[in-house]
Amino acid sequence: MAGIQGTPGTPRVLRAMNDRAALDLLLEHGPLSRTRIGKLTGLSKPTASQLLARLEAAGLVVATGTTAGRPGPSAQLYALNPRAGHAAGLDVNQHRIRAAVADITGAVTGEYELRTEGRTGAGVVRQVTEALDGAVAAAGLAPGDVRRLVIGTPGAFDPATGRLRYASHLPGWHSPTLLEELAAALPMPFEYENDVNLVAVAERAVGAARGHEDFVLLWNEEGLGAALVLGGRLHRGFTGGAGEVGFLPVPGTPLVRQVAKANSGGFQELAGVQSVPRIARAAGLHTPDHPYVEVACGLLARAAASPGEGPHAELLDRYAERVATGLASLVAVLDPALVVLSGDVLVAGGEPLRARVQAELADLAASRPRLVLTAVPREPVLRGALESALATTRDEVFDTSR
C-alpha cells in the first residue's frame, strides 16, 4: 500500500493496513458502526474498537449519531472527519478558470469562477492564484489548508520541453517556464493533466466507468478529444498527446496537413462541433453556425426530442455515422469493453444519438464495445481534477504508519 513504511507483517504495518481499510470503507459507505466495520474488515470487536479509538485520536474519524430503526440498542456511528484534509482542482479554458475545493470525503466546500476573456496571456500565474484563492476563501479556509492541487487544461504539457502542446487557443500557457513559475507561486504541490483525461478520472471514480479497468471516453465540446484508460491507468503517450483524436485522419474528409498549425484534423472536421450545422442544413434545417457549441447542442437536443422520420432524424443518422467512423479506429486498436460519450455536444443528442452510434459502430468495428452516456453531467473536468487531487491527498492523510 502506498506510503506505508516498515517491515511487512510487523504490528505497525498491519495496524496501518487495517486503518486504511477502515477509512476506505467509511469513504465508500458513509457512517458505520463499530460492529459493521468489524464485519467488513474481518476484525474482532476489541480490535475494531481500538482501531476506531486510534483514528478518532488522530483526527481522522468522528463520532456522528447513532443507528436507528433497528431491533436492539442503538449503536454509535463513526464517519470520516471532513476536515482531515482538503484538495483543490482547476478547470482551465480560453474563456474562464473554474476552481473548487473539496474536503477529504469529496464534498465540494468552495467554488469560484474567474472570467479570462479579453485578458492578456501574460498574467496566467496571477489568474491561477486568483481563482484558487477565491475557491479557498469560499470554503472558509486558508491557502495552507489545501494539501494538493490538480490543474486541468486542454492539450498536454510536453515532459521534454515543459511547453503546452495541442492547445494553441489557450493564450499565455505556452511559456517553457510556466510550470516553474506556478510552482514558485502556489502554496501547495500541484499537478497538471489534460482536461479530457480528467473527465475519464471522474467517470471512473463516480460515473459510468466505475469498476472498469479498460475504457475509452470520447469528448466533444469545442474540440474532439478522447481519454484512454488501459489496465486502470491513463495512457498519455510519449508527448502527452494520446487521445488528441481530433487530429485523427478519417474517411470522409480531405487530409489536413500541418495539423499543429491548423489546430484541427480529419476527425474534428468530420464530427467536431462545427460539422453539426453543416449536416443540419444538408438535411433541410435552417440554422446559423455560431456560436458553435450552443448551436450544435440546440440542434441535437431538438433532434433527439423529435420522434419519427424527417430532417431531425436525418441529422442524428448522419452525425452518428461520423462519430462512429472515428470511434471505429479507436476500437480497432484498443478493443475496449466500454466507450463513454461525454461533452455537451454528445450529451445533447442523448439516448437517440447514443443508440445510433452504437448501431453504426457494430457495422464499422470488428468488436462491439458497449456505449454509454456520461454519468458525470456537471463540470466533469473540475470533478476529475478534484478526484485526482483527493486520491493523492488521501494516500498522505490516511497513512497512519508514520
Side-chain angles (χ1 to χ4, degrees):
M1 182 171 293
I4 292 180
Q5 304 295 321
T7 304
T10 63
R12 180 182 179 188
V13 171
L14 293 175
R15 280 197 300 269
M17 293 175 67
N18 289 335
D19 290 349
R20 180 61 192 259
L23 292 166
D24 285 340
L25 286 169
L26 292 171
L27 181 64
E28 179 181 359
H29 297 284
L32 295 170
S33 67
R34 179 201 63 182
T35 300
R36 184 62 176 155
I37 290 174
K39 288 181 178 179
L40 291 173
T41 58
L43 298 175
S44 66
K45 288 183 179 180
T47 302
S49 295
Q50 293 171 6
L51 177 150
L52 286 169
R54 187 166 61 248
L55 295 179
E56 192 171 11
L60 296 176
V61 303
V62 291
T64 172
T66 58
T67 57
R70 297 179 182 178
S74 59
Q76 178 68 61
L77 293 175
Y78 295 87
L80 287 177
N81 179 1
R83 299 191 65 84
H86 292 83
L90 264 62
D91 170 15
V92 179
N93 68 22
Q94 68 266 44
H95 307 298
R96 48 91 188 125
I97 299 176
R98 287 180 182 151
V101 173
D103 64 35
I104 202 72
T105 71
V108 174
T109 57
E111 296 181 86
Y112 187 84
E113 181 171 311
L114 176 70
R115 302 301 298 184
T116 56
E117 291 173 309
R119 298 181 182 229
T120 64
V124 164
V125 173
R126 182 181 54 79
Q127 292 170 18
V128 167
T129 56
E130 182 179 344
L132 177 62
D133 288 347
V136 170
L141 301 172
D145 295 328
V146 177
R147 301 179 67 101
R148 182 75 53 168
L149 168 68
V150 169
I151 301 173
T153 71
F157 284 93
D158 190 322
T161 66
R163 289 181 179 272
L164 184 66
R165 303 184 65 190
Y166 318 109
S168 59
H169 59 292
L170 202 62
W173 283 80
H174 301 87
S175 166
T177 63
L178 176 60
L179 296 180
E180 296 175 3
E181 293 171 20
L182 286 171
L186 292 169
M188 74 288 290
F190 81 98
E191 298 174 3
Y192 53 86
E193 183 59 86
N194 170 263
D195 53 358
V196 182
N197 281 348
L198 290 176
V199 177
V201 170
E203 211 68 59
R204 187 162 183 256
V206 298
R210 292 186 72 174
H212 287 269
E213 294 291 301
D214 297 89
F215 69 94
V216 169
L217 182 136
L218 183 68
W219 170 269
N220 194 4
E221 284 193 6
E222 293 181 347
L224 267 171
L228 318 174
V229 177
L230 309 174
R233 296 173 62 89
L234 282 166
H235 176 68
R236 296 176 176 85
F238 178 65
T239 66
E244 295 290 339
V245 295
F247 299 123
L248 186 72
V250 292
T253 58
L255 283 175
V256 177
R257 300 187 182 277
Q258 295 185 319
V259 294
K261 292 183 179 180
N263 199 35
S264 186
F267 196 19
Q268 180 67 39
E269 296 300 317
L270 185 71
V273 62
Q274 72 271 28
S275 71
V276 178
R278 296 198 298 264
I279 301 168
R281 284 194 291 270
L285 297 170
H286 297 288
T287 178
D289 281 330
H290 300 281
Y292 277 134
V293 174
E294 181 180 327
V295 168
C297 289
L299 285 166
L300 290 170
R302 289 191 292 275
S306 301
E309 302 299 323
H312 285 105
E314 185 177 346
L315 167 61
L316 287 176
D317 289 341
R318 291 185 180 181
Y319 186 61
E321 181 181 30
R322 291 176 177 225
V323 172
T325 298
L327 271 178
S329 297
L330 297 179
V331 170
V333 175
L334 299 173
D335 190 23
L338 181 74
V339 175
V340 180
L341 303 180
S342 186
D344 286 350
V345 176
L346 294 173
V347 170
E351 176 58 22
L353 178 62
R354 186 214 64 81
R356 284 168 166 84
V357 176
Q358 179 84 73
E360 289 286 346
L361 193 59
D363 287 339
L364 296 174
S367 63
R368 299 185 178 184
R370 183 167 64 96
L371 265 66
V372 297
L373 291 169
T374 176
V376 189
R378 182 178 180 271
E379 298 185 353
V381 177
L382 190 55
R383 185 71 247 178
L386 287 173
E387 291 295 334
S388 181
L390 282 167
T392 304
T393 299
R394 289 167 184 152
D395 282 343
E396 296 172 351
V397 172
F398 290 175
D399 181 6
T400 60
S401 67
R402 300 173 184 176

